[in-house]
Amino acid sequence: VTDWSANNRLAIFDISNPDSIVTKATTNVNLDAPGSIYVSGKYAYVTSLSNNLLAIFDISNPASIITKATTSANLDGPRGVYVSGKYAYVTSESSSRLCIFDISNPDSIVAKGYVNTGLAWPRGLFVSGKYAYVAGYLSDRFRIFELNHTDTPTFNTGAATISNLQVYDN
């Protein structure tokens, strides 16, 4: 869990017993205004709106969270983050981009490409197979992107408009 307030913390909870949730760690990670978090294996992938960053944290030992890597490449207001395989996909709100990063080496994030989403404030993000689904904030629109070539993601099917679709976050 990330802390949106000025505390800039990453908190880890043991939820193995839903009737007794236990705080395992709360650590200052020096990220201002976290946008989203995605946990995969022993890593947490966090976006920071104010710092314009994607950060990777090793959370295998909750008592000692380690910053592995950060990048600001192609990011302007990063919001949503989704990890699939060796790639992290990030929506960049202010630049209206879908950005792709190679995270196969957690110590070094490599920007692979980006595409303009054509959406106002892209936030909602889900990746399944070779497609990325991106929804715009309060815009009643989403788009699908084909991910066959991670260096140059291609627009797939066109925009869909759905009445009263109001995506706030992932």
Side-chain angles (χ1 to χ4, degrees):
V1 175
T2 55
D3 184 351
W4 176 260
S5 68
N7 294 320
N8 305 320
R9 295 179 298 183
L10 179 64
I12 299 175
F13 299 92
D14 179 346
I15 59 170
S16 58
N17 179 355
D19 294 326
S20 179
I21 297 173
V22 177
T23 303
K24 297 301 279 184
T26 302
T27 304
N28 186 320
V29 291
N30 296 315
L31 292 181
D32 191 25
S36 188
I37 185 170
Y38 191 98
V39 176
S40 180
K42 67 178 193 172
Y43 298 106
Y45 304 84
V46 182
T47 59
S48 171
L49 294 165
S50 295
N51 300 106
N52 287 320
L53 290 176
L54 168 64
I56 300 175
F57 298 98
D58 182 334
I59 58 171
S60 58
N61 178 1
S64 179
I65 296 171
I66 300 168
T67 304
K68 298 299 283 179
T70 63
T71 187
S72 61
N74 303 320
L75 297 174
D76 187 11
R79 181 58 88 155
V81 59
Y82 196 96
V83 173
S84 181
K86 67 178 192 169
Y87 295 104
Y89 303 88
V90 178
T91 54
S92 187
E93 261 186 357
S94 301
S95 59
S96 188
R97 292 179 177 159
L98 170 61
C99 303
I100 300 175
F101 300 93
D102 182 333
I103 54 166
S104 56
N105 175 0
D107 293 318
S108 176
I109 302 170
V110 178
K112 296 302 288 180
Y114 68 87
V115 65
N116 187 305
T117 65
L119 298 169
W121 301 90
R123 284 191 181 182
L125 173 62
F126 182 78
V127 176
S128 180
K130 65 179 186 173
Y131 297 102
Y133 303 87
V134 181
Y137 172 67
L138 299 176
S139 67
D140 288 351
R141 297 177 68 204
F142 78 92
R143 289 198 164 171
I144 302 169
F145 295 87
E146 189 169 359
L147 302 172
N148 286 335
H149 308 287
T150 56
D151 287 332
T152 54
T154 56
F155 183 67
N156 184 35
T157 60
T161 301
I162 300 173
S163 298
N164 300 315
L165 174 69
Q166 296 184 354
V167 176
Y168 289 95
D169 285 306
N170 276 5

